[in-house]
Amino acid sequence: MSATTETAARGYSVTRPCRHPPRWDLETDVAIIGFGAAGASAAIEAAGAGAQVTLFEATSGNGGTSALSGGEIYMGGNGGTPIQIAAGFHDETEALYRYLLMAGGPNADAAKVRLYADLSRAHFDWLLAQGVEYKNSFIPQRIVEPDTDDCLIWSGSEEAWPFCEQAKPCPRGHTPKFMGMGAGRYLMDKLAARVNALGVDVRYDARAVALITGDDGVVLGVVIRSAGQDAYVRARKGVALCAGGFVMNRAMVKQHAPWMLRSQHPIGTVDDGSGILLGQSVGGQAINMSEGFVTLPWYPPESLIQGIFINERGQRYINEDGYHGRTAHYGLRQGCTRLFSLQDSETYGEPAFGPFAKIGIAATGDTWEEVEKELELPAGALVSTVALYNQHAARGEDPLFHKARKWLKPLDQPPFVALDCRIDVCFYPSFTLGGLDTLPTGEVLDAARQPIPGLYAAGRTACGLPRWGEGYSSGMSLADATFFGRQAGRRMAQ
Ligand SMILES: Cc1cc2nc3c(=O)[nH]c(=O)nc-3n(C[C@H](O)[C@H](O)[C@H](O)COP(=O)(O)OP(=O)(O)OC[C@H]3O[C@@H](n4cnc5c(N)ncnc54)[C@H](O)[C@@H]3O)c2cc1C
């Protein structure tokens, strides 16, 4: 029977579990769905603990979105990683905890944040043990991602208000020793080598199309479709859904996070929501589904941070020294598509990602009046915003938005420039932050927050550490995927 005929005959799908499989084609202890960072980390821990592990990957190779990424991981605490310490930083666990809690937003998961803050430093050692190398170096300037093989950067809003008032700032973005951008492929190569060395049975071109449950609701296994045939896989110790998020499933985005459709650049690989749908099919609760990460890589150079953002009413709306994702989120909330970054001749520098991010010059002038006119803004709106900002900046203050003193300077040196940051024109990439509700152990929870026996999830299929676009910092998604993937793998192997 072909897969489609069999599916139709038995009535299962990603949204409907298979209840009475005709046979077991394969038996294993642990079945992991998806060979990205979360799936690889789960497989390494489960296999390392002695479980028989089978990893199913829908595509013909490993890596998923993790391999497309910058490979940067958010780590610290317990005094700091050797790289933080060498750069002169002492990173308290409590500071990491408080930052992560705040970055997680109103729906932060305190239990996950606590566990990660306590063990993040040890997670760095785990990555080293998997063969991931880090150069002992720190880039103090504000950048998006190293384009060298350097490691430590300020990858979030640590030094910016209001975060700096809650937690002692420390740089925590760790990028592996890989020359150029895109260290995610390097990270995945190292994790995949470990997966293979541990004897994990990896099946490519093998897509999970339904979960298999017993009459009591326990997850017994998974239906895997490969070369047009369905195989019924019994997983004695559990199934882990590590299949990424749902940003590529535009119907799901429309349903749960319609505001994200304003970002015309979903970033990811498969990310079709199948992992989340599979979990929901057996009663798993998806939470925080309206949250996502959206950004505009408008710096470096960091001198641009000395400029100010305005909307098309000429109003400023954010302290510009936060993470680029935070400034982008506030921009999206302005109820308009035209946003501008105002610079004078001392702060202006060509945006490093300008051509790629389509950040052009919207207007120039020898006076702010000229710029305002060229942008066709309401008369006096931009001019009064700049005048007020300059008046405060001259005193080293920003009473409206609390930009840190080090970034404050009156924008009074002509010529003046308005950078074009239009939402419908520029590159505002996005990915989702909602997913299955899980315990720190990876166990998937139902609506009553009770674990569904036999079902686990990690990475963007789950709702983990990063859950708030306004608080997201680079490195949080891979920190979450690798660390909580490990927890799920270890728990399943028990
Ligand atoms: C350009 C870019 C740069 C980024 N940079 C960073 C960064 O530096 N630091 C950071 O923390 N985050 C970064 N991110 C975000 C981060 O990469 C992802 O959020 C993270 O990698 C998700 O990991 P994952 O294991 O959950 O999913 P993935 O890595 O996507 O793995 C999921 C896997 O599951 C497979 N799959 C999907 N459905 C099925 C199915 N039904 N059956 C079988 N297999 C299936 C997929 O093919 C895929 O291989 C970046 C993202 C992008 C796009």
Side-chain angles (χ1 to χ4, degrees):
M1 210 186 308
S2 84
T4 11
T5 327
E6 190 152 3
T7 307
R10 302 197 183 279
Y12 56 74
S13 69
V14 281
T15 55
R16 271 186 78 177
C18 169
R19 294 219 191 268
H20 299 284
R23 60 187 181 275
W24 292 118
D25 295 300
L26 179 71
E27 296 213 17
T28 184
D29 286 339
V30 168
I32 295 174
I33 311 305
F35 198 169
S41 303
I44 291 168
E45 291 293 85
Q52 181 190 358
V53 181
T54 311
L55 204 168
F56 300 98
E57 165 55 45
T59 70
S60 306
N62 66 56
T65 300
S66 306
L68 274 188
S69 78
E72 189 181 319
I73 301 190
Y74 200 85
M75 291 178 284
N78 278 294
T81 64
I83 296 156
Q84 289 174 309
I85 291 168
F89 295 96
H90 179 82
D91 196 10
E92 296 285 353
T93 301
E94 276 319 292
L96 173 60
Y97 173 78
R98 282 203 293 274
Y99 183 77
L100 288 173
L101 203 57
M102 193 169 179
N107 199 18
D109 184 329
K112 282 182 186 153
V113 169
R114 180 81 265 165
L115 190 69
Y116 188 71
D118 288 347
L119 298 180
S120 171
R121 170 66 188 80
H123 189 52
F124 176 81
D125 290 337
W126 181 84
L127 286 160
L128 294 183
Q130 309 317 308
V132 182
E133 287 185 63
Y134 292 94
K135 186 173 167 181
N136 195 350
S137 60
F138 168 53
I139 300 179
Q141 293 82 19
R142 284 281 292 279
I143 59 169
V144 170
E145 185 185 323
D147 56 4
T148 55
D149 61 354
D150 289 299
C151 177
L152 187 64
I153 65 164
W154 292 99
S155 70
S157 300
E158 298 86 355
E159 290 187 296
W161 185 88
F163 298 90
C164 60
E165 287 193 340
Q166 302 284 323
K168 187 179 162 207
C170 189
R172 302 193 181 96
H174 290 70
T175 308
K177 189 175 167 190
F178 171 84
M179 188 52 81
M181 299 179 88
R185 182 65 266 171
Y186 164 91
L187 175 71
M188 279 311 303
D189 285 346
K190 295 293 179 187
L191 296 180
R194 268 307 274 162
V195 166
N196 291 328
L198 285 164
V200 172
D201 178 8
V202 181
R203 310 280 176 110
Y204 291 107
D205 300 307
R207 168 176 284 274
V209 292
L211 288 173
I212 301 171
T213 54
D215 291 330
D216 51 4
V218 173
V219 173
L220 301 174
V222 57
V223 183
I224 297 292
R225 183 163 301 162
S226 201
Q229 295 298 318
D230 282 359
Y232 301 88
V233 178
R234 172 90 173 96
R236 290 179 288 260
K237 291 178 182 252
V239 175
L241 302 170
C242 302
F246 64 94
V247 76
M248 296 303 181
N249 184 333
R250 301 312 269 172
M252 267 180 93
V253 173
K254 189 172 178 193
Q255 182 185 0
H256 298 288
W259 67 271
M260 285 181 73
L261 295 172
R262 292 187 74 195
S263 152
Q264 295 166 21
H265 304 96
I267 51 169
T269 48
V270 172
D271 292 295
D272 62 358
S274 56
I276 296 170
L277 295 172
L278 285 165
Q280 287 179 303
S281 76
V282 295
Q285 179 82 342
I287 58 167
N288 214 36
M289 294 289 279
S290 61
E291 269 302 328
F293 163 86
V294 179
T295 195
L296 173 71
W298 58 275
Y299 62 77
E302 67 173 13
S303 66
L304 293 172
I305 296 169
Q306 294 176 296
I308 59 172
F309 274 107
I310 59 160
N311 58 29
E312 68 179 13
R313 295 178 295 282
Q315 298 161 327
R316 191 167 165 237
Y317 51 84
I318 180 83
N319 49 326
E320 296 80 4
D321 53 348
Y323 176 64
H324 48 84
R326 184 171 170 83
T327 50
H329 267 263
Y330 273 73
L332 285 166
R333 283 212 214 131
Q334 295 309 304
C336 60
T337 55
R338 294 202 306 151
L339 304 172
F340 307 102
S341 165
L342 305 183
Q343 306 290 336
D344 75 1
S345 64
E346 286 180 351
T347 64
Y348 177 77
E350 199 179 331
F353 295 97
F356 170 70
K358 302 203 183 101
I359 301 173
I361 288 178
T364 55
D366 287 326
T367 63
W368 283 117
E369 283 80 359
E370 277 177 43
V371 174
E372 180 181 272
K373 207 164 173 193
E374 201 174 329
L375 294 176
E376 298 179 348
L377 299 186
L382 179 155
V383 170
S384 57
T385 294
V386 174
L388 187 64
Y389 177 79
N390 283 353
Q391 184 190 319
H392 290 138
R395 295 202 296 263
E397 296 169 0
D398 179 19
L400 297 189
F401 295 102
H402 314 290
K403 182 149 87 172
R405 182 181 280 260
K406 76 185 242 197
W407 303 111
L408 291 172
K409 163 207 126 52
L411 301 171
D412 56 7
Q413 298 301 309
F416 303 115
V417 174
L419 291 174
D420 184 354
C421 300
R422 273 176 296 171
I423 295 163
D424 55 343
V425 171
C426 299
F427 178 66
Y428 280 82
S430 57
F431 61 84
T432 55
L433 296 176
L436 296 170
D437 192 10
T438 54
L439 291 176
T441 50
E443 289 157 274
V444 174
L445 301 174
D446 65 15
R449 298 214 86 217
Q450 292 304 308
I452 296 171
L455 189 63
Y456 299 78
R460 296 288 54 78
T461 301
C463 187
L465 281 181
R467 349 182 119 192
W468 194 42
E470 287 165 32
Y472 187 84
S473 305
S474 272
M476 283 188 178
S477 186
L478 285 173
D480 174 73
T482 52
F483 181 80
F484 288 101
R486 289 179 59 204
Q487 310 311 311
R490 208 177 305 143
R491 179 64 176 220
M492 284 190 291
Q494 275 174 6

